[in-house]
Amino acid sequence: MTVDIGAPLFAQIQQLTLPEEILQLTFQGLALGAIYALIALGFVIVYKATEVINFAHGALMLLGTYIVFSLVSGVIPEGASTAANQAGSNFPSWLGWWVDLPIGWRFGLAILMAAVVVGLVGIGVERTILRRMVGQPVFAIVLITLGLELAISTSVQVIWNPQQKVMPSPFPPASTLRIGNIGMQWANIWAITVMIVVVLAFFAFFKYSRFGLAIRATALDQEAALAMGIKASTVFAIAWAIGGALAAIAGALFVPARLAGFITLTPVRFSALNAFPAAILGGIDSPGGAVTGGLIIGVTQVLSSRWLNPIFLDLNFPNFHQVFPYLLMVGILLFRPYGLFGTVEVRRV
Amino acid sequence: MALLPSRLSRYWLGLLIVVLVYFPFYARGLEGSSFWLVLATLVLIASIGAVGLNLLSGFAGQISLGHAFFLGVGAFVGATLSTPASTTLSGVSFWGLGLPWWVGVLGGGAVAALFGLVVGPAAVRLRGLYLSLVTLGLVFFGDFLFTAPALEKITGAVRGRRSAPVSFVFPGMESAPFIEGNSEALYFAALIVAVVGFVAAKNLMRGRVGRAFQATRDHDIAAEVLGVNVTWAKLTAFGVSSFYAGAAGALLGVFQANPIGSNFGGAAGLLVSIQYVAMIVIGGIGTILGAALGAVFVIALPELVKFLTGQGWLPFVAETGGGSFDESAFSTVLFGLFIVLFLLYEPLGLYGLWLRARNYWKGWPFKY
């Protein structure tokens, strides 16, 4: 079973007039794009600091999603898998105060905790494995992260078992905010809000904090940064921590916003691959590009699933929206090989 | 003969070929004979595909995650060429030209190579990371293409199509001499293609083409300065590699009897691509022999895990379907770990280990 990541969520769109429909779908596209933007930002920060494309990002997302699930529902790995756990009765008695918290608080705090944990996992991965690969060919490093992807996501699948789970979330799939004829799901509104907050915090950190300055300096010229007394190892660790944290946040938002609260392994794991075009489109070393690219991919994917899919369906090619981001990416790359905002690499022999 | 520098290597290679040819006849007498034959056939088919990927990634340095797509193209084109016209599967009839199996293999390879040449221009524009992501998109495009009802006559859309078994029957003969059954015939077909493919790859990499590939891999601008036509080298690498993948795919299609599009695209296809990448990494990047060693390792690993679990030596692993930590999950984790460990500690893979062992015994009991 696959879940259509880029398809519109509403079936009753037909009743809307064309402008309303465009607004409605653009909103859904922005919500999807917000999640893509968070994922792409994770790729970009890791790439900018360490020049590694992290194929294990999807696996980290998966890990974050399941940690949030366990923290909110109290279902510790293995065992139960159904909605029955929503009540939170699985927690030991000394955690009663946690269960008494409103679901919204629990969900939000769980995301923060998951972000910290996955951030630490990111640091661990960098320390133990990728640190040793500094200076090795790009090819080898990409393969290492692919190997990690397999190992981490299969481990997650083993620990939490592959059955579908229901994420208890503060936004039931049906709860919407209606403005005129346009329905906006609360899960989507929150996805966009969280994205804006996270992105603002990210840019503030990047621009004004000492660590942000260190990351930018290292990205610009690693040797010069080292000579100025910036510890490259700290920069790498911070970048991986931020990457991991962003993955966890994106995963936790993705489930209620796009999968109607059902945690299924494959869509979560491969949504990160769908966000690759976003990162590439904007330019793999440009945080602003990642956000722009994410929003572009999200909106165009949803719009294409509404207006291009029927055309291709008439030709008997269903599910066009699933390849659309990649086609868009290839099209743009052929004209701008470093993406929309990427730095053009000057290469010397 | 210059391929084999010493008399000793000629001797060993001759012995290997004799063993490979004799293997099915030996396997007939074994307990669970079909299991060993099937395993050997899969290894041969995978090694053909792995050699192709190694030409592209190991020699020309172009990272590709789209190998599964070319395998799929080969499987469906090969099946279309080699099945009889009236082939049907659950009510759907497919196109079939009824040509001999080797036409299917060559045709599958050729069409896959054409697709490779279409992707090639992207490789000329993009390098390294960007290329790996575009080829990743190819896997998703594969899912879109192979499962589309528009191509039902070729791919069988969602439910897949039928492929015809390999036959070695020549005109005027009732059945092929010595060969019993379809699986033995497929084994010999794969063996022939693998031997031809290995010799061709080894030969190609010794000459001008191979040097051009390696110069492109090591530094494409420097290569261009030295007079290598980098555009041509990258396109050729994609074409040749896709040809190998297509040929392997055609045989794989025969092996599966009912090749299904979604196994070559999407999430499943990505895993197939990663498996092939694992083969060349574990076997040894940039070596022809390494691709074969890697194929043996990657194909045999799940079976080894299954065997060890069956013997009760891995008490923490459940049998397939017996829990979430089952054999396939365990082998996938092992794949991932082996890729990481080999890249960290032995970048030349199994071939590197073999070199080390050989050099150790060469100088034994002295260290150097």
Side-chain angles (χ1 to χ4, degrees):
Chain A
M1 186 206 70
T2 54
V3 173
D4 272 351
I5 290 168
L9 288 170
F10 288 152
Q12 71 272 29
I13 285 170
Q14 280 77 0
Q15 307 152 3
L16 302 176
T17 60
L18 186 64
E20 281 173 341
E21 196 175 353
I22 291 175
L23 271 178
Q24 168 79 59
L25 291 177
T26 307
F27 168 75
Q28 288 187 18
L30 284 176
L32 179 62
I35 292 160
Y36 283 162
L38 286 176
I39 305 171
L41 208 54
F43 287 133
V44 168
I45 181 76
V46 168
Y47 181 81
K48 208 168 163 66
T50 64
E51 306 215 325
V52 173
I53 280 257
N54 181 15
F55 274 93
H57 206 77
L60 293 179
M61 255 180 93
L62 204 57
L63 181 64
T65 311
Y66 277 93
I67 291 178
V68 171
F69 164 75
S70 273
L71 286 175
V72 179
S73 68
V75 179
I76 313 297
E78 275 301 329
S81 61
T82 50
N85 304 303
Q86 284 214 28
S89 54
N90 301 282
F91 285 103
S93 54
W94 56 271
L95 274 175
W97 59 272
W98 173 251
V99 183
D100 292 339
L101 281 179
I103 179 80
W105 279 94
R106 244 194 302 160
F107 192 69
L109 290 174
I111 291 184
L112 286 184
M113 284 189 266
V116 171
V117 174
V118 181
L120 290 176
V121 171
I123 294 180
V125 165
E126 198 277 327
R127 266 292 141 102
T128 51
I129 294 168
L130 288 154
R131 179 71 53 84
R132 298 156 187 269
M133 299 299 290
V134 171
Q136 300 277 357
V138 176
F139 180 75
I141 299 180
V142 166
L143 294 184
I144 287 254
T145 60
L146 270 175
L148 281 172
E149 204 277 340
L150 282 186
I152 296 176
S153 52
T154 316
S155 307
V156 168
Q157 177 184 338
V158 164
I159 295 173
W160 275 276
N161 84 37
Q163 286 158 8
Q164 194 178 59
K165 294 174 176 52
V166 176
M167 168 87 88
S169 85
F171 348 96
S175 70
T176 50
L177 173 71
R178 298 202 78 86
I179 299 176
N181 279 330
I182 299 161
M184 299 191 275
Q185 288 186 307
W186 280 106
N188 280 346
I189 295 174
W190 274 99
I192 296 175
T193 317
V194 171
M195 187 275 284
I196 292 171
V197 170
V198 168
V199 165
L200 287 181
F202 178 87
F203 279 103
F205 168 84
F206 218 56
K207 189 141 193 215
Y208 299 113
S209 78
R210 287 178 62 86
F211 289 125
L213 184 65
I215 292 179
R216 279 185 292 147
T218 311
L220 201 62
D221 189 332
Q222 194 167 325
E223 279 183 16
L226 280 172
M228 292 294 122
I230 293 171
K231 278 185 84 168
S233 57
T234 317
V235 168
F236 291 174
I238 293 175
W240 272 89
I242 297 178
L246 285 171
I249 297 173
L253 290 175
F254 180 69
V255 171
R258 295 303 306 183
L259 303 178
F262 292 100
I263 310 179
T264 337
L265 281 161
T266 317
V268 178
R269 185 176 166 194
F270 289 101
S271 61
L273 297 182
N274 270 318
F276 268 128
I280 297 293
L281 192 77
I284 189 70
D285 59 353
S286 153
V291 177
T292 323
L295 294 178
I296 292 178
I297 293 279
V299 172
T300 50
Q301 196 179 14
V302 171
L303 292 182
S304 76
S305 76
R306 172 67 184 87
W307 279 289
L308 290 180
N309 269 22
I311 300 175
F312 281 87
L313 196 60
D314 283 346
L315 301 171
N316 268 329
F317 282 105
N319 292 331
F320 177 72
H321 64 274
Q322 294 192 336
V323 289
F324 181 77
Y326 285 96
L327 292 180
L328 193 65
M329 172 182 83
V330 172
I332 289 190
L333 281 185
L334 286 180
F335 294 101
R336 292 185 66 96
Y338 296 97
L340 292 176
F341 304 104
T343 318
V344 177
E345 192 185 340
V346 180
R347 302 180 59 239
R348 297 185 181 84
V349 178
Chain B
M1 272 297 128
L3 280 176
L4 302 166
S6 70
R7 185 182 286 177
L8 195 66
S9 61
R10 267 175 240 168
Y11 168 76
W12 280 113
L13 203 76
L15 194 68
L16 180 68
I17 290 187
V18 169
V19 167
L20 285 175
V21 170
Y22 181 66
F23 176 76
F25 306 112
Y26 171 72
R28 275 180 204 167
L30 286 178
E31 196 185 335
S33 59
S34 63
F35 167 76
W36 292 104
L37 194 63
V38 161
L39 202 61
T41 311
L42 264 182
V43 165
L44 284 175
I45 295 174
S47 66
I48 300 166
V51 167
L53 187 61
N54 217 349
L55 295 186
L56 181 67
S57 297
F59 284 91
Q62 308 297 307
I63 306 173
S64 170
L65 291 175
H67 218 54
F69 172 76
F70 299 114
L71 284 170
V73 170
F76 292 118
V77 172
T80 306
L81 289 173
S82 60
T83 44
S86 57
T87 319
T88 58
L89 177 68
S90 49
V92 184
S93 69
F94 305 108
W95 285 340
L97 298 175
L99 298 166
W101 65 271
W102 54 269
V103 179
V105 170
L106 289 178
V111 175
L114 278 182
F115 272 98
L117 291 179
V118 173
V119 183
V124 176
R125 286 286 276 169
L126 310 168
R127 298 178 318 109
L129 298 168
Y130 285 90
L131 183 63
S132 68
L133 293 172
V134 170
T135 52
L136 175 73
L138 211 52
V139 172
F140 291 94
F141 188 69
D143 193 36
F144 172 69
L145 200 65
F146 298 147
T147 59
L151 302 177
E152 196 177 38
K153 293 280 181 200
I154 299 172
T155 64
V158 185
R159 275 171 304 175
R161 69 163 291 148
R162 269 250 173 275
S163 60
V166 163
S167 82
F168 278 98
V169 182
F170 301 98
M173 250 187 234
E174 278 290 294
S175 64
F178 311 121
I179 301 173
E180 282 177 12
N182 291 335
S183 42
E184 282 188 13
L186 179 60
Y187 174 87
F188 282 109
L191 183 59
I192 292 169
V193 177
V195 168
V196 172
F198 270 64
V199 172
K202 192 92 184 163
N203 225 346
L204 201 63
M205 287 308 106
R206 281 172 66 236
R208 202 186 115 153
V209 179
R211 299 296 149 100
F213 281 12
Q214 288 170 43
T216 309
R217 171 193 65 192
D218 292 338
H219 202 302
D220 53 356
I221 291 181
E224 195 143 27
V225 171
L226 292 174
V228 174
N229 187 341
V230 172
T231 308
W232 168 86
K234 286 181 178 174
L235 281 179
T236 314
F238 256 96
V240 173
S241 151
S242 310
F243 185 91
Y244 274 85
L251 290 168
L252 200 61
V254 173
F255 177 83
Q256 292 175 343
N258 173 22
I260 298 174
S262 53
N263 290 339
F264 296 104
L270 182 63
L271 289 182
V272 172
S273 287
I274 295 179
Q275 277 196 343
Y276 275 88
V277 169
M279 285 178 207
I280 65 170
V281 170
I282 292 174
I285 290 180
T287 58
I288 301 290
L289 180 64
L293 291 175
V296 173
F297 188 90
V298 169
I299 300 292
L301 184 70
E303 301 302 330
L304 185 69
V305 169
K306 207 175 277 178
F307 173 76
L308 291 178
T309 331
Q311 297 286 318
W313 291 345
L314 297 172
F316 52 91
V317 181
E319 293 200 356
T320 306
S324 56
F325 197 37
D326 63 359
E327 292 153 0
S328 72
F330 184 60
S331 354
T332 315
V333 173
L334 279 186
F335 272 137
L337 288 182
F338 272 117
I339 296 179
V340 172
L341 291 178
F342 267 111
L343 281 169
L344 281 180
Y345 297 110
E346 183 50 78
L348 266 182
L350 292 172
Y351 184 75
L353 289 182
W354 152 245
L355 281 186
R356 272 197 216 177
R358 197 182 68 183
N359 290 342
Y360 178 81
W361 287 110
K362 239 184 200 166
W364 192 83
F366 306 106
K367 283 221 156 158
Y368 288 102

